[in-house]
Amino acid sequence: PPSPLWALPEELLLLICSYLDAQALGRLAQGASDINSFSLSAVCWWPMTCGCTETLALNRVPGIPVKERVKVSQNWRHGRCRRETVLKWKCKQVVFFSSSFLMPWMELDGEYLYLSQAENIQAYPLCPEGAGLQRHPQAIFSGHQEDVCRFVLVNSHIVSGGGDGSIVLHKIHGSYSVKFPAHEQEVNCVDFQGGLIVSGSRDRTAKVWSLSTGRVGQCLHTVQTEDRVWSIAISPLLSSFVTGTACCGHTSPLRIWDLESGQLLTCLGTDFHRGAGVLDVFYETPSLLLSCGYDTYIRYWDIRTSTRKCVQEWEEPHDSALYCIRSDKNHMIASGSSYYGVVRLWDKRQTRCLQSFHLCSPTSSPVYCLRFSTTHLYAAVASALHVLDFTA
């Protein structure tokens, strides 16, 4: 006979279910058909989404059932995932920030993962339903004479900087390609927005390049940074750009420059130690910026409140340099450290690391680049590409 519990009004059933955690509610869903249909309904699971660490604002992603959102969020928070090495390649001799060492970089869109390997950028199709990626690239983008240092994917265009000092622009869906000499030494970093390219180099300069008709590859400004440039990013407002340098001098390694004139606007921070170079920067909004580097800290800057001190910071617990960071522009930050392929997840609402993952690697390789979607995290080390699947 049916339980009298299910004769109660729906609002009382919802109140009762609100006292259950995700595991108990999932077990309840394994009962009889009436119990199953009610306990799987979105209204039972929706309150649990309020406190979840939700990658890429999971609540706003259409087509994902609320129960699945809670499951994926719980997996991210508790580190439950399936790990897989999806690609391997031969590693060159380790010489940091030199063209004799392969340092993979990648970008991710909805259908492809773009990965730099030596002088090429290869596009790997993502398998349906998030089951990894295909082992063979569908497209290869070439043009550099030496290894690709970094590249960006914007509006169906790939812009890359190479160890040969050049910048190459590819249109993904077409044969259009442009290459032009940019710097006297390696182009360590590039960004591309609004028809402009900014680049930073080991030659201690940052440059702004035009891509307008008739002026493709024309240098608009050359900024003398007086230090090697390791990272660069254009503000979402297209009014300025930030450079992260090696911090070998007495100036701040984080500086913001006017995109139109090339003039210095402001320096971020006053307490950087010598050698605390900034290896990666990431704009969340026009006023919120993340940085990381050799001094083992992730720093969160709000240029509306102060340029002298960051508003929040997180320290890598094992005192390792941080090579890369990524944010979902919500609560989640992912970082890659310089030893043993360690990826860490951080919740901005907490001071301690949320989860750590030690990627399998035959060498003590840094994590050079990482990207994540709502359900997967991809991390590239010196010899392999790893994926963590949080739908497991």
Side-chain angles (χ1 to χ4, degrees), residues 84 86 125-134 376 378 387 389:
E84 183 182 1
V86 291
L126 298 175
C127 295
E129 300 181 358
L133 68 156
Q134 297 181 17
H376 292 74
Y378 300 87
V387 61
D389 181 358

Side-chain angles (χ1 to χ4, degrees), residues 155-315:
N155 296 331
S156 298
H157 289 80
I158 295 175
V159 176
S160 60
D164 56 3
S166 67
I167 292 175
V168 177
L169 169 69
H170 296 284
K171 190 168 184 177
I172 295 176
H173 306 292
S175 58
Y176 179 78
S177 179
V178 174
K179 178 181 179 180
F180 53 90
H183 291 269
E184 296 179 0
Q185 298 186 45
E186 297 100 316
V187 181
N188 291 325
C189 49
V190 291
D191 199 6
F192 168 47
Q193 288 192 56
L196 294 174
I197 295 174
V198 294
S199 61
S201 172
R202 195 183 183 93
D203 66 6
R204 306 187 178 197
T205 65
K207 297 185 179 184
V208 182
W209 307 89
S210 172
L211 287 181
S212 60
T213 304
R215 303 178 66 187
V216 176
Q218 178 179 343
C219 182
L220 303 179
H221 307 293
T222 298
V223 174
Q224 301 295 333
T225 60
E226 301 175 359
D227 213 342
R228 292 163 291 176
V229 184
W230 294 142
S231 54
I232 204 162
I234 299 176
S235 165
L237 290 180
L238 305 180
S239 58
S240 61
F241 65 94
V242 61
T243 56
T245 56
C247 199
C248 293
H250 300 286
T251 57
S252 168
L254 270 176
R255 284 172 283 178
I256 298 178
W257 311 82
D258 184 77
L259 193 58
E260 184 175 352
S261 66
Q263 298 299 310
L264 177 65
L265 296 178
T266 187
C267 297
L268 298 182
T270 58
D271 56 351
F272 286 98
H273 299 292
R274 186 178 178 89
V278 175
L279 299 179
D280 201 7
V281 290
F282 180 80
Y283 269 106
E284 285 195 332
T285 70
S287 56
L288 296 176
L289 176 70
L290 283 161
S291 66
C292 72
Y294 282 119
D295 66 351
T296 77
Y297 279 92
I298 300 172
R299 289 186 170 89
Y300 199 37
W301 305 89
D302 188 342
I303 58 178
R304 297 169 300 183
T305 59
S306 174
T307 59
R308 297 177 59 84
K309 188 173 180 60
C310 63
V311 295
Q312 200 169 355
E313 63 184 19
W314 300 268
E315 185 178 9

Side-chain angles (χ1 to χ4, degrees), residues 7 23 44 82 89 124 174 191 246 255 258-260 320 341:
Q23 187 178 26
C44 286
R82 180 172 58 248
W89 52 83
Y124 292 89
D191 199 6
R255 284 172 283 178
D258 184 77
L259 193 58
E260 184 175 352
S320 299

Side-chain angles (χ1 to χ4, degrees), residues 30 48 77 117 197 242 351 374:
Q30 298 175 5
M48 295 188 187
R77 174 169 289 276
Q117 294 175 277
I197 295 174
V242 61
T351 56
T374 55

